[in-house]
Amino acid sequence: MIATKSDTILSLLTLVGLDTEASYPALESLGDARYLRDLKINLGNVLNNNQNLSKKESLLLALSIAVNEKQQPLVDSLTTLAKAEGATDAEIAEILACTSLLSTNNVFYRFRHFVEKDYYNQTQPGIRMSIMMNPVLGKEFFELVSLAVSAVNGCELCVKSHEDSVLKHGASEARVFEAIRLAAVVKGFITLI
């Protein structure tokens, strides 16, 4: 007997453009639990109802988290949704590159922070980061994506640095807050797909 997906699950999958016919065992094991209704509302709010992020920016931020978490079906669906909101191939490529760079930096700088030895802290990292110099999406948004990925990856040093930088590039704390809330909700959703 094939179990049918609840309306809440179908609505959740449709919200992010995922295949409603595919199997999502963890998600489906929750049936129509209250948590899924909350998740649907939370995900809808962070993707569609941000006062400080455009729909395109919300989708690009969500895409960066999906890339970071290696969730290819979600990467594909969010790419399609972001393009429908006007994201260019160059902007999508920059999200992929930024996420990769931040994953690299988060490991390196977390190590420095954890160990706290002079040699490691004073030695040049030797990690090229030319993508940060003139980003297609602009410095402020590039820093916002960097902050969101760093928060998901738990790099305290990177979070503090990117939060400071994004504010210096003109973002408000409300915009930062919404970006981090979005990253948190998307990460939570990914744990179930």
Side-chain angles (χ1 to χ4, degrees):
M1 179 176 183
I2 299 173
T4 59
K5 292 179 180 74
S6 72
D7 289 342
T8 304
I9 292 173
L10 292 172
S11 182
L12 254 173
L13 296 172
T14 301
L15 180 64
V16 294
L18 284 173
D19 180 3
T20 58
E21 298 298 318
S23 179
Y24 306 92
L27 189 63
E28 292 163 15
S29 72
L30 294 174
D32 198 25
R34 276 188 296 172
Y35 176 70
L36 288 182
R37 291 190 294 276
D38 289 345
L39 182 58
K40 182 182 93 170
I41 290 167
N42 292 338
L43 195 56
N45 285 340
V46 299
L47 292 177
N48 299 314
N49 299 322
N50 281 311
Q51 294 180 355
N52 296 288
L53 297 168
S54 70
K55 173 86 175 196
K56 176 179 143 181
E57 289 173 329
S58 296
L59 289 165
L60 289 173
L61 279 164
L63 175 60
S64 72
I65 305 309
V67 169
N68 189 69
E69 299 301 304
K70 302 170 211 63
Q71 189 52 245
Q72 194 58 49
L74 188 59
V75 168
D76 296 341
S77 65
L78 289 170
T79 297
T80 299
L81 292 172
K83 285 183 176 183
E85 288 296 322
T88 65
D89 288 339
E91 290 170 332
I92 298 294
E94 187 166 273
I95 290 296
L96 301 175
C98 177
T99 304
S100 175
L101 174 62
L102 266 294
S103 292
T104 302
N105 284 351
N106 293 160
V107 170
F108 183 82
Y109 288 102
R110 253 189 344 247
F111 168 78
R112 271 188 171 179
H113 182 84
F114 290 157
V115 176
E116 293 186 8
K117 287 188 176 177
D118 288 340
Y119 178 81
Y120 303 129
N121 289 332
Q122 294 169 6
T123 303
Q124 287 295 318
I127 298 170
R128 299 249 335 158
M129 296 183 266
S130 58
I131 185 177
M132 296 179 101
M133 296 305 118
N134 192 19
V136 174
L137 290 162
K139 288 288 278 181
E140 185 268 350
F141 191 70
F142 190 92
E143 287 294 326
L144 194 62
V145 172
S146 299
L147 173 60
V149 172
S150 295
V152 168
N153 289 338
C155 180
E156 180 182 355
L157 209 60
C158 298
V159 166
K160 287 179 177 180
S161 173
H162 291 295
E163 192 265 352
D164 181 61
S165 183
V166 77
L167 293 176
K168 285 179 179 171
H169 281 92
S172 65
E173 288 180 340
R175 184 168 162 83
V176 169
F177 183 85
E178 285 188 6
I180 299 304
R181 183 174 63 122
L182 182 148
V185 170
V186 172
K187 169 72 169 144
F189 173 66
I190 288 172
T191 64
L192 295 177
I193 59 168

